[in-house]
Amino acid sequence: MSQSNVYVTEQVVQVIVNGQENVLSEPNSEISVNVVEQQVAVSVGEIGPQGNIGPAGPTGPTGTQGIQGVTGPTGSTGATGSTGPTGPTGSTGPTGATGSTGATGDTGATGPTGATGPTGSQGIQGIQGVTGPTGATGSTGATGPTGPQGDQGIQGIQGVTGATGATGSTGPTGPTGSTGATGSTGPTGATGDTGPIGPTGPTGATGPTGPTGATGADSTVPGPTGPAGVTGATGPTGSTGATGATGATGPGVAAGGTAGQILSKIDATDYNTTWIDNFAGQVKHIVKNNSGSTMPKGSVVYVSGSDGTNMNVSLSDADSEATSSKTMGLLEAALTTGSHGYVITEGLLAGLDTSAATAGQAVWLSSTAGQFVFGSPPAEPAHAVYLGVVTRVQSVNGEIFIKVQNGFELDELHGVSIPTTPNDNQVLQYDSATGLWGAGTVAGAVYQPSAPSSPQNGDIWIDSDAPAAAINTNDFVLK
């Protein structure tokens, strides 16, 4: 038994070995078969037509026969080629008498080789040889030209902005140089003498007089004016007069001032200025007293109207909504009726009597028109309006830092809608349908001095252990 390999290249090959059919249908595939008794039949796809056979070359002389080598193993029998056609049989000659066998003569020359029969069908392709070693890698070719740049990709999401670094301290501002006022323009110098007039150019020759025309009828139309003579050359310009004296220097920047201060006008007078600090120690507004009486310095006022140009102010009073809710601030100075002055809405105001206060105490609008109180606002139903805080306690030069904050009544709060005139025993209830707090009643709610024997939902009573003077809303218990 021997083993054979069958390798398929580009055709479908059917191999029958020992009566068993094997089909190789994939290109470049290979199978191994065991051959017993050399029974192999191979069928191959159709072969193309046979090309013309070339002429046979002359047979070379037979070389000396070498020593016969050891018989090698019998190779597998190749496929039998088809048998060529049999030549015609010659006629048999008469048989002669058999003579004695003579010595063997020399071998005659070999007759010409007959024509080669047709080539048999191609045998199965042998096993593919071992792949040779890979050749050395060639040198890298030159880099090709760079291709065109692609479209820019979509910009990525911007990263979160980092926290801002702390601001460095501001360096001191250098002193600004004072700009001198522009001096008035000096008088214009006297105009220089006019130069002498140049000589008149020569008069051109008079043209010949034309023939006198026939005398026409009397006419009032004058005849045409003759051409003007040539203008003479312009005489030389006279020398420039002397420059006038420089005018006196105008007023300059006000003397004094410190680093960082700025220049401010004192009044409408030209150049009447002074140095002031470069920050606002107060926020104030000009108003008009249209109340009919003088208002002292430090009076608490509210905006009561306008004359079309200025706000009119009146004295604030905590006793009503109208005289408290529009509180503006405190007067900077006394203000007579019909005159204009300033109201401080934020900042320090000095020169007040704060002897009844302690430093840091809150300042509130009083129930006395135009005045203020220290510590706590007036009791309800007065309106609480915060005016500021005491910064210096003194009977003449006391100070208040003003920062007006008007309080709010219940019906002024956002999300609250209650009737203008609420009824007794109503409570504040939330209505999910409107999203507002409003007035409502609690079913069965009554006031009684002690707890009922069987409390029900909505019952309200007063804690009997609380003294009458200490009863407040915390003593009302809803069971």
Side-chain angles (χ1 to χ4, degrees), residues 136-155:
T137 303
S139 57
T140 304
T143 303
T146 303
Q149 180 173 339
D151 296 334
Q152 181 171 343
I154 300 172
Q155 181 171 339

Side-chain angles (χ1 to χ4, degrees), residues 178-185 247-255 263 265 269-273:
S178 357
T179 303
T182 304
S184 56
T185 304
T249 303
V253 177
L263 204 61
K265 288 277 290 184
T269 305
D270 289 343
Y271 313 112
N272 190 15
T273 58

